[in-house]
Amino acid sequence: HALLYLQNHAGGNADLAGQAPEGADRKKALQWLKDALLKISEAHDKSYQLPVKWLIGNWRLWPDEDEADGKKDPGFVELKSLAIRKLDGIGKKYEDLYKERKLGMEL
């Protein structure tokens, strides 16, 4: 299901927000996304990085939210929670490397 979203990427077409490609199940694609993020976080498996990046950036995966009702998409909320719990360590690791190598001075 994630593959269908990747093969039918919306590009810059925001009109496709929340419209699953034919035959794709959003819940299954989100589950794949969560599993892939865990592989990146726990197993340091970099082979998932590009598919995850492109899947997260696909308008089709994310329904257009109505800010007026104050409701957030449950799939997004769960993904955000996972990121806070599991992925902050990755950011900390790279932040330490950034400081250690004084990359800020070069950039």
Side-chain angles (χ1 to χ4, degrees), residues 45-102:
D45 189 340
K46 294 181 180 185
S47 66
Y48 288 92
Q49 287 179 335
L50 279 178
V52 162
K53 173 185 167 182
W54 283 101
L55 190 56
I56 287 174
N58 190 342
W59 289 101
R60 288 177 174 267
L61 192 59
W62 309 111
D64 210 7
E65 288 195 13
D66 182 3
E67 295 292 329
D69 68 5
K71 293 180 183 176
K72 293 286 185 189
D73 172 59
F76 177 78
V77 170
E78 190 175 339
L79 200 59
K80 181 179 175 183
S81 176
L82 171 74
I84 290 169
R85 283 192 330 269
K86 295 287 187 174
L87 302 178
D88 277 350
I90 294 172
K92 177 74 174 128
K93 173 186 158 188
Y94 286 105
E95 182 180 344
D96 291 345
L97 281 172
Y98 181 86
K99 288 177 183 175
E100 179 184 308
R101 296 180 183 174
K102 298 180 181 167

Side-chain angles (χ1 to χ4, degrees), residues 19-62:
Q19 296 180 26
E22 188 175 334
D25 182 312
R26 181 175 183 265
K27 286 183 180 183
K28 290 179 181 179
L30 286 172
Q31 185 60 53
W32 182 91
L33 183 56
K34 287 183 266 185
D35 292 343
L37 286 168
L38 288 172
K39 291 251 187 210
I40 293 168
S41 173
E42 296 171 358
H44 307 290
D45 189 340
K46 294 181 180 185
S47 66
Y48 288 92
Q49 287 179 335
L50 279 178
V52 162
K53 173 185 167 182
W54 283 101
L55 190 56
I56 287 174
N58 190 342
W59 289 101
R60 288 177 174 267
L61 192 59
W62 309 111

